[in-house]
Amino acid sequence: MSASASRSAPEERLVNLVVALMATEQGLTKDTILSSVAGYRDQLEAGASKDALEKMFERDKENLRGLGVPIETIGNRTDPDDLREARYRVPTAEYSLPDDISFSPAEVALLNIAGSVWGSESLSTDARSGLRKIRALGIAVDEPIIGYAPRIRVRDASFPALQRAIEQSRVVTFTYLRPGEARPRERRIRPLALLEYEARWHVFGFDLNMDADRTFLLSRIVGDVTVTRAGFPAELREGAGERALAGLRQVAERQRALLEVHPGTEAALRLARRAEEAPQGIVVPYVDLHVFADELASYGPEVRVVAPDDLRAEVVRRLEATLSLHGGAV
C-alpha cells in the first residue's frame, strides 16, 4: 500500500464524499464514487479490494447520516429495492441556507472557530445543522483570528463532567468496570487531563485510593461521574497531558502484535495507518488487550493473530462467542 493511501485521513475522505455528492443532481453510482473520489480512489490504486472499499463506503454513509448529512439513495424506478445500480447524492436544498442570509468574513471566521470544537455529541441537532449549512456557503476566510482552534470529539457520556472537574480542579468519583471483573469498583481521583489515544478517550489523574497516577478508559466508566467539593491545586494539571500520552506510548511500545492480514481488505486499510512491516506480516502496537481484541475480532477472517498468545486467545474467544450466539457449532 502506498504511503499516500495509508495517510489518507478518514475525516478528509468524508469531506471529499460530501462535496462529490453535493456536486451532482443525478447522483453518483458506488462504482463511480470508489473510482473517482479521493480517499477511495487512492486506496483502489494502491491495491485495495472492491469489497473492502464497499464496506468502507457503507460505514462512511452511516457516519455521515449519523451527523445529519442527508444522503439520498436513488434506486431503480421500476424496482426500488434493486440497489445494484443505485445512485447517491446530497440534496442541496436540504443542505444550504436561504439566499437572503449572508455573513461578513469576520463573522464566518468566528463561526468556523466555534464549529471547530464541536463533536458528534457536543452540540444539539439544530446547532449541528446550522453549522453544516454555514460551511455549505463556501465562503473563504483569508485571515485567521487565532492561530489554533481546539478540536473536541465527545464520544462518552462522562466527558462533560470530567472536563468540568478538570477546569475547576475538583476531585471526582465514578464506578469503573475492568475486563474480567464481575462488578465495577468505585474510583476517587484528581482528574488532571483528558486525552484521545487510538481513537478512544482516556482520563488521566491521581487515584487517591491507590495513591498513584492512573489512566482510565472513559468507555469503561459505569454510570454518572460525581464532581465532589474537594479541590486540589490547579498546578498539578501542568504537563499532565504530556505525561499521560508518554505513558500510553510506552505501554504501546511494550505491547506489539504480529498480525497476518489479507491484502486489500478492510482490516488492511484500517490497520496500515499504525502498522510496521514485518517478514511474516505487520506489527501493530496497542495499549489495551481487550479493546484491541474487540477490534481484531470485528474483522473476522481478514486478520490472524500470530503473537502474542494472550491476544490471540482473546480474539478467538470473541469469535467463538459470536459463532455460538448465531447458532453455529464451536
Side-chain angles (χ1 to χ4, degrees):
M1 182 175 296
S2 68
S4 61
S6 64
R7 289 196 298 266
S8 180
E11 296 85 356
E12 182 178 342
R13 185 179 67 247
L14 292 178
V15 170
N16 293 335
L17 178 58
V18 171
V19 170
L21 296 182
M22 288 182 64
T24 173
E25 285 292 330
Q26 301 298 320
L28 300 175
T29 65
K30 186 183 298 183
D31 286 344
T32 301
I33 292 168
L34 299 184
S35 61
S36 304
V37 176
Y40 301 102
R41 183 187 64 242
D42 48 8
Q43 301 280 12
L44 185 65
E45 293 172 350
S49 71
K50 184 178 179 182
D51 181 63
L53 290 175
E54 286 182 348
K55 289 181 181 178
M56 178 182 288
F57 172 64
E58 293 301 323
R59 289 194 183 187
D60 288 347
K61 277 197 307 175
E62 293 306 311
N63 287 337
L64 289 174
R65 283 170 173 157
L67 291 172
V69 178
I71 297 178
E72 183 179 45
T73 302
I74 306 171
N76 190 321
R77 293 183 182 274
T78 59
D79 185 4
D81 294 330
D82 184 1
L83 298 179
R84 288 175 296 180
E85 296 299 324
R87 288 172 287 118
Y88 304 91
R89 68 175 185 174
V90 172
T92 54
E94 299 181 29
Y95 206 71
S96 58
L97 288 170
D99 293 336
D100 58 349
I101 294 181
S102 61
F103 298 96
S104 69
E107 288 171 334
V108 173
L110 287 171
L111 290 168
N112 283 334
I113 292 169
S116 69
V117 301
W118 70 273
S120 58
E121 285 84 28
S122 61
L123 288 183
S124 68
T125 300
D126 290 341
R128 292 200 302 270
S129 178
L131 282 170
R132 288 195 306 273
K133 292 178 179 180
I134 288 165
R135 290 186 175 125
L137 288 173
I139 303 174
V141 180
D142 295 331
E143 296 296 331
I145 291 180
I146 59 174
Y148 175 74
R151 299 185 64 83
I152 301 174
R153 298 177 186 173
V154 183
R155 300 191 183 276
D156 297 277
S158 57
F159 188 102
L162 289 169
Q163 184 181 42
R164 184 171 67 255
I166 292 172
E167 292 172 351
Q168 297 176 352
S169 300
R170 296 288 187 87
V171 172
V172 299
T173 61
F174 54 80
T175 51
Y176 191 77
L177 182 62
R178 295 182 59 185
E181 294 185 349
R183 295 180 179 179
R185 290 189 294 171
E186 184 174 280
R187 305 284 184 157
R188 187 168 179 265
I189 72 167
R190 295 170 180 162
L192 303 178
L194 282 162
L195 64 152
E196 188 183 24
Y197 190 77
E198 293 182 351
R200 294 171 181 87
W201 280 102
H202 304 71
V203 60
F204 171 75
F206 186 80
D207 190 322
L208 294 168
N209 295 332
M210 302 297 295
D211 196 28
D213 288 341
R214 290 288 186 271
T215 303
F216 302 92
L217 265 172
L218 266 60
S219 60
R220 290 189 181 144
I221 294 177
V222 180
D224 296 332
V225 173
T226 300
V227 181
T228 72
R229 294 184 178 181
F232 58 87
E235 53 266 26
L236 294 179
R237 304 196 309 256
E238 296 179 7
E242 291 78 5
R243 297 201 311 273
L245 186 58
L248 290 174
R249 286 173 175 164
Q250 289 174 5
V251 172
E253 282 302 311
R254 294 196 302 267
Q255 299 185 154
R256 300 165 66 82
L258 177 59
L259 309 174
E260 291 180 347
V261 183
H262 290 289
T265 61
E266 182 184 9
L269 296 178
R270 294 183 179 275
L271 293 170
R273 293 178 58 82
R274 57 186 193 272
E276 300 174 8
E277 294 292 333
Q280 188 175 350
I282 59 173
V283 174
V284 181
Y286 63 95
V287 171
D288 189 282
L289 172 73
H290 297 274
V291 169
F292 194 43
D294 287 341
E295 178 186 355
L296 295 180
S298 72
Y299 299 131
E302 296 178 358
V303 61
R304 186 176 79 87
V305 181
V306 179
D309 293 341
D310 56 351
L311 177 62
R312 181 170 61 247
E314 289 295 330
V315 172
V316 169
R317 186 173 67 83
R318 285 159 173 75
L319 294 175
E320 289 178 340
T322 301
L323 185 62
S324 177
L325 183 65
H326 288 81
V330 178

